Amino acid sequence: MAKIIALIGPSGAGKSTIAYTLGLEPIISMTTRQPRSGELHGRDYYFVSKEDYLYALENDRLVEHVENYGNFYGVPKAELSNALLSDIPHYVIVTYAGLKKLKETLPDDTIISIFIYAPLDDITSRLKRRILEGDITRENAARRLALYKDELNTAQYCDFIVPSLEGWLDKTINLVKLIVDTCN
């Protein structure tokens, strides 16, 4: 059984970029938010209506779920089951609450949690860039920044903390790869 790599950290820390660059297989989450530029249904997320999401939730089809930045996110049980049957590691991007739920659901040695840390200045810069690219609104960026300190406090509950500093993407990716390769 392969490991599940849970990536956690503040919005803008680089979790998705790191996972895509490493070529890890995703556990595709379900969300009610709109796709960003370049995102595809079934590859990045299952983009669903609020009604479809609530139906999945009410019918016990989600392992974990959260409302984040005004949208719903959840990990479908079928996605997690398929990942657990695989021989290769999969990743999932979750909040700390999602990590807790996964740890309650999975055997102890199955999940590896990696907190991706980025300084507030770097997060602010990245979110400003996403505003300019049209991926998020100013209000959405402000909500994400307001959660930064609370999200940092969850790092202590993760197995590893990896810095994601501006200009250090290659180093960050190499550290995460080393962790994945060593723990798998």
Side-chain angles (χ1 to χ4, degrees):
M1 178 182 320
K3 301 288 186 188
I4 304 297
I5 312 301
L7 298 175
I8 300 155
S11 181
K15 300 176 297 287
S16 296
T17 301
I18 292 163
Y20 292 142
T21 305
L22 283 174
L24 297 174
E25 287 293 318
I27 294 174
I28 302 170
S29 296
M30 181 183 290
T31 184
T32 59
R33 80 162 169 76
Q34 293 298 308
R36 295 183 187 131
S37 176
E39 288 183 329
L40 295 175
H41 177 80
R43 182 192 74 188
D44 300 291
Y45 285 95
Y46 294 114
F47 297 100
V48 298
S49 67
K50 187 175 180 180
E51 293 77 21
D52 287 345
Y53 183 92
L54 293 174
Y55 178 84
L57 182 62
E58 290 166 4
N59 287 281
D60 199 32
R61 294 185 180 169
L62 301 175
V63 176
E64 64 88 25
H65 61 92
V66 66
E67 183 176 357
N68 214 358
Y69 312 119
N71 295 297
F72 294 106
Y73 295 82
V75 175
K77 285 184 176 181
E79 281 287 317
L80 186 60
S81 294
N82 290 338
L84 291 171
L85 295 173
S86 175
D87 293 334
I88 58 174
H90 281 64
Y91 79 91
V92 63
I93 296 173
V94 291
T95 62
Y96 173 65
L99 174 64
K100 281 178 40 178
K101 188 66 175 172
L102 288 174
K103 284 187 172 190
E104 291 169 6
T105 305
L106 300 172
D108 286 340
D109 63 344
T110 305
I111 193 157
I112 300 164
S113 57
I114 304 173
F115 187 89
I116 306 299
Y117 165 78
L120 182 57
D121 288 347
D122 289 358
I123 295 289
T124 302
S125 172
R126 293 170 190 175
L127 290 177
K128 283 181 182 177
R129 197 166 37 244
R130 287 172 66 181
I131 291 168
L132 292 175
E133 292 169 355
D135 284 341
I136 60 173
T137 64
R138 289 186 188 281
E139 295 78 19
N140 193 288
R143 280 195 304 263
R144 292 167 188 241
L145 287 171
L147 293 173
Y148 177 79
K149 284 185 181 178
D150 288 339
E151 289 173 325
L152 283 188
N153 288 332
T154 65
Q156 64 186 315
Y157 303 107
C158 293
D159 299 317
F160 300 92
I161 300 172
V162 175
S164 174
L165 308 175
E166 205 61 43
W168 282 38
L169 181 60
D170 289 344
K171 289 178 175 75
T172 302
I173 290 168
N174 288 337
L175 283 171
V176 173
K177 182 176 181 356
L178 179 63
I179 293 167
V180 172
D181 290 348
T182 303
C183 293
N184 200 29

